[in-house]
Amino acid sequence: SGKHVVNVVAPDYALQRHTVEIKDGDTTHLDLVLEATFAQVTINTLPGAKISINGVEKGIGQFVGNLNEGVYDVEVLLDGYRKATRQIVVKSKQDQTLNVRLRPICGSLDVITTPMRANVLINGKNYGLLRRNEKIPRRTKYCSPCTKR
């Protein structure tokens, strides 16, 4: 009997603290509903891309999980693409989705062949015959994955 402080704690939920008075010979009931301090966050990007949140790897291609309230730094990495960084603000019970588009790392490749009309393959992909005078370069935009522009 007497006054008692009851604390109820659960991961990802706000602390509940109540003072109850228990009388001799009585049973005191305390029904508590804990309030969530998290939201579900979904991060989508290209298959194979590594997703890190605050420097910790969390998924490949997609992350779906609960994050507590706060500000988070998201980084997405994939070979052949520029690193993408975003900052998200998570508020409890406000689920959100972040779609991260990665930009390929591109450069140009000038191919001059002797003799003319040589077939050009890059990483096994056929870019066709050079049809111009060998002194005029064929300009191919080279990205990963390789694309011709």
Side-chain angles (χ1 to χ4, degrees):
S1 64
K3 286 189 178 186
H4 300 275
V5 176
V6 177
N7 291 319
V8 180
V9 180
D12 302 327
Y13 289 85
L15 166 75
Q16 290 279 335
R17 179 179 304 217
H18 296 277
T19 302
V20 294
E21 186 170 347
I22 301 173
K23 296 184 182 174
D24 192 32
D26 286 346
T27 298
T28 302
H29 294 281
L30 189 59
D31 291 323
L32 301 174
V33 176
L34 301 181
E35 189 170 324
T37 59
F38 64 88
Q40 185 178 70
V41 174
T42 301
I43 302 170
N44 298 308
T45 190
L46 292 175
K50 182 171 36 170
I51 300 168
S52 297
I53 300 173
N54 288 348
V56 177
E57 186 176 326
K58 294 290 188 175
I60 303 292
Q62 184 182 56
F63 166 79
V64 178
N66 293 335
L67 294 178
N68 286 319
E69 286 185 317
V71 178
Y72 294 87
D73 294 317
V74 176
E75 181 178 87
V76 180
L77 296 170
L78 181 62
D79 284 343
Y81 291 84
R82 297 177 200 269
K83 174 173 68 173
T85 57
R86 306 284 188 278
Q87 193 172 71
I88 58 172
V89 177
V90 176
K91 296 183 180 177
S92 68
K93 300 182 274 184
Q94 294 181 15
D95 297 348
Q96 61 180 295
T97 298
L98 175 65
N99 295 309
V100 180
R101 292 184 59 195
L102 295 177
R103 293 182 12 215
I105 297 171
C106 295
S108 294
L109 175 64
D110 290 335
V111 178
I112 302 171
T113 65
T114 304
M116 292 187 314
R117 299 188 53 78
N119 211 24
V120 177
L121 289 93
I122 302 172
N123 294 335
K125 182 176 178 182
N126 190 342
Y127 281 80
L129 295 174
L130 277 179
R131 293 194 169 98
R132 299 179 183 194
N133 183 305
E134 64 261 26
K135 294 182 182 177
I136 300 173
R138 176 183 185 156
R139 200 157 205 59
T140 299
K141 192 79 166 181
Y142 181 73
C143 300
S144 182
C146 190
T147 57
K148 180 180 173 183
R149 295 182 189 218

